[in-house]
Amino acid sequence: SSIEKMFEKLENGELDLVIVKKYNKSNSNTKYIKLGNLEDIFICGNKVDFGKHKELRVLDNKILYIPRNNSIALEKLLEVLEKNNIKPIIKRVDSSTMVKLVKDSSNIGFITKEYISEELEKEEIKELQLDIDIPKSEFGIYYIEDNKFKELSDLIKVIQHNF
């Protein structure tokens, strides 16, 4: 995945830092600093009305667009779907493609809210509340602990201060 490639570049010294959702498979010589939390939500087109059916079962046999990269929230969703024998037609896409595909269809997307705040504000799409508790995803900075560059340390302090 692209996250694994970024970590590989970080560990090889090709990148100085990576800002991503918390990742459980980082190398022991990488250091992590939490910056905040992100919220994953379901989205649909504004013209779509699921009525009172806000049950997770609404996803059964329906196209569900999900991010290309896994996250803790996505893994939980997939686990709950499997446990409840709910089988959506899953398609992995990037966030801008997801918005376009969901906007003019009756399909549903699962995406990080902060990535699409502008589209939600403009009411191009809307949030769909379903009966599942999705944990927020932590995000932060990963960097190699023994990096000696003062500029990197200063940059990390600036980023921390502004979050």
Side-chain angles (χ1 to χ4, degrees), residues 122-140:
K122 290 180 183 175
E123 297 183 357
E124 293 176 23
I125 52 174
K126 65 183 177 184
E127 183 174 350
L128 175 63
Q129 301 283 338
L130 296 180
D131 63 350
I132 180 173
D133 182 32
I134 304 288
K136 289 191 175 189
S137 299
E138 189 177 306
F139 76 99

Side-chain angles (χ1 to χ4, degrees), residues 1-133:
S1 77
S2 60
I3 291 176
E4 288 167 349
K5 287 178 186 168
M6 281 194 299
F7 274 97
E8 194 176 296
K9 288 183 176 194
L10 179 66
E11 291 162 9
N12 291 339
E14 294 174 59
L15 294 175
D16 291 322
L17 61 86
V18 176
I19 300 176
V20 293
K21 288 182 180 179
K22 191 166 186 182
Y23 187 69
N24 295 329
K25 299 174 184 155
S26 65
N27 192 319
S28 60
N29 68 341
T30 57
K31 180 134 172 81
Y32 173 76
I33 298 172
K34 178 183 176 179
L35 294 176
N37 291 304
L38 300 171
E39 182 182 2
D40 291 292
I41 61 170
F42 293 97
I43 58 170
C44 62
N46 279 329
K47 297 175 184 104
V48 178
D49 183 13
F50 286 100
K52 295 179 183 176
H53 302 289
K54 303 292 184 177
E55 297 166 7
L56 203 54
R57 181 120 342 252
V58 78
L59 299 175
D60 204 27
N61 294 315
K62 189 136 194 76
I63 292 177
L64 175 64
Y65 296 108
I66 63 172
R68 291 181 184 207
N69 295 316
N70 282 344
S71 66
I72 294 167
L74 180 57
E75 287 172 11
K76 170 159 183 172
L77 170 63
L78 296 175
E79 185 181 296
V80 169
L81 291 173
E82 187 176 326
K83 184 176 148 191
N84 291 288
N85 201 28
I86 299 171
K87 295 182 171 117
I89 302 159
I90 292 178
K91 301 196 180 263
R92 290 185 180 264
V93 294
D94 62 64
S95 59
S96 60
T97 302
M98 185 185 301
V99 169
K100 288 175 191 162
L101 291 168
V102 165
K103 187 168 33 173
D104 299 318
S105 72
S106 63
N107 300 321
I108 298 171
F110 183 73
I111 191 166
T112 302
K113 188 175 189 173
E114 291 77 5
Y115 297 171
I116 55 158
S117 58
E118 194 174 303
E119 291 86 347
L120 287 167
E121 248 177 62
K122 290 180 183 175
E123 297 183 357
E124 293 176 23
I125 52 174
K126 65 183 177 184
E127 183 174 350
L128 175 63
Q129 301 283 338
L130 296 180
D131 63 350
I132 180 173
D133 182 32

